Amino acid sequence: MTAARPKQLTSGLLLAAAGSIAFSGKAIIVKLAYRYGVDPVTLIMLRMLFALPLFAAMAWWASRGKQALSLRDWAGVAYLGVTGYYLSSYLDFLGLQYVTASLERLILYLNPTLVVALGWLMNRKPLRRTQLLGMAASYGGVLLVFGHEVGLQGAHAMLGSGLVLASAFTYAVYLVYSGQFVQALGSLRLVGLATSVACGLVLLQFVLLRPVDLVWTLAPEVIWLSVLNAVMCTAVPVLLVMMAIERIGSAAAAQAGMVGPMSTILLGAWLLDEPLTLWVAAGTALVLAGIWLFGRARA
């Protein structure tokens, strides 16, 4: 091993962990913004409005000197933008009205298992025993936290969990179908274009469903929280994780990203006064252990 290799490994792990923590902060910021009476349609519009210039710049940078997209490429980008970023983000924002940030993050962390389950349904690719054990542990952990939250919030927790699970499913669909486009366009170009499509759809949704002058009546805190969400919890994490993958590969970056749920739980307890109980701790431990097993089996 060369002297540069340990430095590259350390920097890659730090970048992956920072990206995961920054992305996990999205739920905290959304929950804080909801305290000012803003609705999901307006809040996601603000996030995408401020993120659009960053993603458009990302797409432009990655497209320099590259071949122009064909009609088929644009259709694929539009499809992935709708499923992976528009639907997934909107359903997540809707769900966060009803569940804690901790439960939301644990449900979204099931995404790798949903990707493999979709692969099994589509291609009948067999699952290994370790994968099944990992899935069982992960879903058991989520059910543990979910059962605790249902006891506190009742039907609202069921509705919110269903919406967040639907968000995770739509993002899993995006991941399943994005592979061929990543190879053709490159990951940075695809992310920039697909997210720009999603931003446009969210802005159109706001114009159709809300009066435009509603923006001027919002609390200043909502605007600043949305700027923070767009930059530090949307665009920056994408770049951090991609830089980490370049250094240490996707498998190691995914393992380092396991700090995400823990950071959400701690930030939720600190900033949102969400309960940090033994049920939440036990459920989180099960989810992390299950995803770790699942990742080892896939590797």
Side-chain angles (χ1 to χ4, degrees):
M1 180 179 291
T2 64
R5 183 62 181 172
K7 294 182 180 179
Q8 185 175 342
L9 178 63
T10 301
S11 64
L13 292 173
L14 289 175
L15 285 168
S20 180
I21 292 171
F23 187 73
S24 298
K26 173 206 65 179
I28 306 298
I29 291 176
V30 170
K31 297 289 284 187
L32 287 172
Y34 278 150
R35 293 180 174 182
Y36 295 94
V38 63
D39 66 280
V41 172
T42 304
L43 189 58
I44 194 173
M45 181 277 297
L46 291 172
R47 178 203 188 195
M48 294 304 203
L49 176 66
F50 295 125
L52 178 57
L54 301 174
F55 284 123
M58 186 187 301
W60 170 79
W61 178 268
S63 299
R64 292 176 309 143
K66 302 291 180 62
Q67 185 178 357
L69 271 64
S70 66
L71 185 60
R72 178 181 179 275
D73 290 334
W74 277 115
V77 166
Y79 174 76
L80 294 175
V82 171
T83 57
Y85 295 102
Y86 168 68
L87 279 177
S88 180
S89 297
Y90 185 50
L91 290 169
D92 186 38
F93 272 57
L94 289 174
L96 276 168
Q97 296 178 105
Y98 308 109
V99 298
T100 61
S102 303
L103 180 56
E104 181 257 9
R105 179 51 43 191
L106 292 179
I107 294 174
L108 292 183
Y109 212 65
L110 297 175
N111 193 263
T113 67
L114 294 173
V115 171
V116 171
L118 280 172
W120 176 79
L121 287 172
M122 294 167 58
N123 304 317
R124 296 301 178 187
K125 186 177 181 180
L127 298 175
R128 300 177 182 178
R129 181 181 302 177
T130 310
Q131 286 179 308
L132 293 173
L133 287 174
M135 292 175 73
S138 299
Y139 284 87
V142 169
L143 287 174
L144 195 64
V145 180
F146 170 73
H148 173 68
E149 200 151 316
V150 166
L152 296 176
Q153 301 189 44
H156 278 179
M158 297 181 66
L159 173 59
S161 298
L163 288 167
V164 176
L165 185 60
S167 168
F169 178 79
T170 56
Y171 194 71
V173 171
Y174 160 78
L175 291 176
V176 167
Y177 286 101
S178 64
Q180 57 181 318
F181 291 99
V182 167
Q183 293 178 0
L185 305 180
S187 57
L188 186 61
R189 190 182 188 190
L190 177 62
V191 169
L193 291 171
T195 48
S196 296
V197 169
C199 289
L201 289 173
V202 167
L203 294 175
L204 177 61
Q205 173 182 265
F206 175 79
V207 170
L208 293 176
L209 299 180
R210 299 288 185 271
V212 176
D213 56 1
L214 174 65
V215 175
W216 308 115
T217 67
L218 297 173
E221 292 84 355
V222 173
I223 304 297
W224 288 115
L225 285 169
S226 297
V227 172
L228 184 63
N229 195 356
V231 178
M232 298 306 300
C233 301
T234 305
V236 169
V238 170
L239 295 176
L240 290 176
V241 172
M242 292 186 67
M243 291 167 63
I245 291 173
E246 287 179 354
R247 286 166 170 77
I248 59 177
S250 58
Q255 295 300 319
M258 292 179 74
V259 302
M262 293 302 301
S263 67
T264 303
I265 291 169
L266 294 176
L267 287 172
W270 175 36
L271 298 174
L272 302 174
D273 296 323
E274 292 184 352
L276 184 56
T277 64
L278 287 176
W279 292 99
V280 174
T284 302
L286 273 174
V287 170
L288 294 179
I291 295 298
W292 180 81
L293 275 174
F294 192 80
R296 295 274 295 183
R298 294 187 70 188

